[in-house]
């Protein structure tokens, strides 16, 4: 794990921006994997900084998306779900996902934004993101995504005091969960 960050620093010193960014990503993911979220944030941000020195290509866009999707959860864990930098990371990830037509990462960014808005009590935005998640999950035909989407929609409705409207999404969540073995694709 330490090797990736050391290599990133060496590649940055050598002005090999692409290799530096790739190794910062690996190091940030490794740090996040052991709950070293502050280190993950710093490494992902360094990766983004060196990435800005590269020409705008689809490879750069893909790399930025990976870094933003690594940065966002670490920011959530270290600084709270409602922080403005958390929203910025996932909004940017959603923009990049749209550019790349990457529906899986668009779902991840949208789901994360639904949670950010829900925690902030910005229910209209949270409901909009939850609906986008439902649409993407249906399009992709992923039961685990559909389960998460129904759950977050149920949360939106219940936080608004719409308890009867929340019942159906929560029931769908339960049905989807119970339909799959615990070790199946319900884990994203």
């Amino acid at each position: 794990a330490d090797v990736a960050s050391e290599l990133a620093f060496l590649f940055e010193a050598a002005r090999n921006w692409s290799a530096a960014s790739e190794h910062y990503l690996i190091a940030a993911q490794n740090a996040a994997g052991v709950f070293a979220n502050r280190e993950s944030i710093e490494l992902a941000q360094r990766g983004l900084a060196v990435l800005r020195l590269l020409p705008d290509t689809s490879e750069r866009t893909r790399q930025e998306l990976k870094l933003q999707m690594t940065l966002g959860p670490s920011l959530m864990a270290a600084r709270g779900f409602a922080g403005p930098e958390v929203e910025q990371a996932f909004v940017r990830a959603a923009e990049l996902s749209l550019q790349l037509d990457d529906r899986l990462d668009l779902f991840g960014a949208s789901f994360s934004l639904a949670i950010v808005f829900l925690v902030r009590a910005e229910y209209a935005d949270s409901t909009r993101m939850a609906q986008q998640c439902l649409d993407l999950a249906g399009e992709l035909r992923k039961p685990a995504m559909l389960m998460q989407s129904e759950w977050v929609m149920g949360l939106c409705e219940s936080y608004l005091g719409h308890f009867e409207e929340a019942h159906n999404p929560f029931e769908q969540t339960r049905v989807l969960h119970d339909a799959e073995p615990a070790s199946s694709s319900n884990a994203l």
Side-chain angles (χ1 to χ4, degrees), residues 97-142:
S97 298
L98 286 170
Q99 278 182 357
L100 295 167
D101 196 31
D102 182 333
R103 304 314 229 174
L104 292 174
D105 278 328
L106 180 59
F107 176 87
S110 299
F111 181 80
S112 297
L113 285 168
I115 298 299
V116 167
F117 295 136
L118 192 64
V119 169
R120 287 187 189 162
E122 296 174 6
Y123 301 127
D125 289 333
S126 183
T127 302
R128 181 175 49 82
M129 289 290 106
Q131 186 59 55
Q132 183 171 331
C133 289
L134 281 167
D135 295 343
L136 285 166
E139 175 186 322
L140 295 169
R141 299 178 198 261
K142 300 275 189 183

Side-chain angles (χ1 to χ4, degrees), residues 124-169:
D125 289 333
S126 183
T127 302
R128 181 175 49 82
M129 289 290 106
Q131 186 59 55
Q132 183 171 331
C133 289
L134 281 167
D135 295 343
L136 285 166
E139 175 186 322
L140 295 169
R141 299 178 198 261
K142 300 275 189 183
M145 290 179 171
L146 187 56
M147 182 178 67
Q148 285 187 300
S149 302
E150 293 285 1
W151 175 76
V152 79
M153 184 60 81
L155 286 177
C156 292
E157 293 292 352
S158 67
Y159 282 28
L160 285 166
H162 303 156
F163 301 115
E164 288 187 23
E165 291 86 348
H167 176 77
N168 187 48

Side-chain angles (χ1 to χ4, degrees), residues 62-82:
R62 167 88 30 221
Q63 182 71 1
E64 184 183 352
L65 175 58
K66 291 176 189 175
L67 283 160
Q68 294 289 358
M69 291 300 288
T70 301
L71 178 61
S74 292
L75 286 167
M76 282 178 146
R79 299 187 184 155
F81 283 60

